[in-house]
Amino acid sequence: ITESMYEWIKEHLPSGSHVLELGSGDVSTKYLSELYRMTSVEDKAEFLNRHPSHYIHAPLVNGWFDTTILKTQLPKDYDLILVDGPVGSGPRANFIKNLDLFKTNVPIIVDDTWREVEKQMAVDLATKLGGKLIVNEFWSVIVPVSGVT
C-alpha cells in the first residue's frame, strides 16, 4: 500500500477497527496490524503468518480465492475491505463477481487503480453499490451510502 492510502485509512477508521484484506503483504499487513485487527486472505502459503493477523489460506481456484474456503472462514463483521490480491489485474477483478460473500456497507479500497482493470473494477463497484468513489493516483475507495464513521 502507499503512504497516502495508509493515511486515508488512519483518518477514516478508528484504531482497533477490523480490516479484511484480500492479498496480504509485507507492507500492508505489517503496518495496518499495528493499529487494526486484521484478517488476511492469502493464496500463497509462503506469505502466511508473517505479521499479526488472522490468516485465511485460500489457494486460487479458477483464477480467484477458493470460494468454498471463504464461505466458511470469512469473518462476519469487519469495518473495511482492502482488495490487494490475488496478485495481478486479471484475478483481482473476480472480487466483483463474488461480492455476495462480503459486507458491502463498509468502505472498499481497491489498490493499484493506476491499472485499467482495477480502475474499472472500482468504477463498477461504486455504480453497483451506489457508493461514492474517491480516486487517488494509485488506489480508489468506494465509500458506502451510509458514509464513513
Side-chain angles (χ1 to χ4, degrees), residues 94-130:
N94 286 312
F95 174 76
I96 200 165
K97 295 176 185 173
N98 293 284
L99 204 53
D100 60 321
L101 297 173
F102 301 94
K103 286 178 57 174
T104 57
N105 62 342
V106 299
I108 300 172
I109 297 177
V110 179
D111 199 13
D112 302 318
T113 53
W114 55 270
R115 298 190 295 218
E116 194 56 42
V117 171
E118 282 84 349
K119 181 178 174 182
Q120 189 60 54
M121 185 175 88
V123 169
D124 293 346
L125 276 169
T127 301
K128 184 175 181 98
L129 300 174

Side-chain angles (χ1 to χ4, degrees), residues 3 16 51 71 89 99 146:
E3 186 174 344
H51 302 286
K71 285 175 186 174
S89 288
L99 204 53
S146 59

Side-chain angles (χ1 to χ4, degrees), residues 8-29:
W8 188 93
I9 293 170
K10 287 193 324 184
E11 184 178 324
H12 293 91
L13 200 64
S15 183
S17 297
H18 189 179
V19 174
L20 171 63
E21 70 172 345
L22 304 180
S24 66
D26 281 330
V27 176
S28 62
T29 314

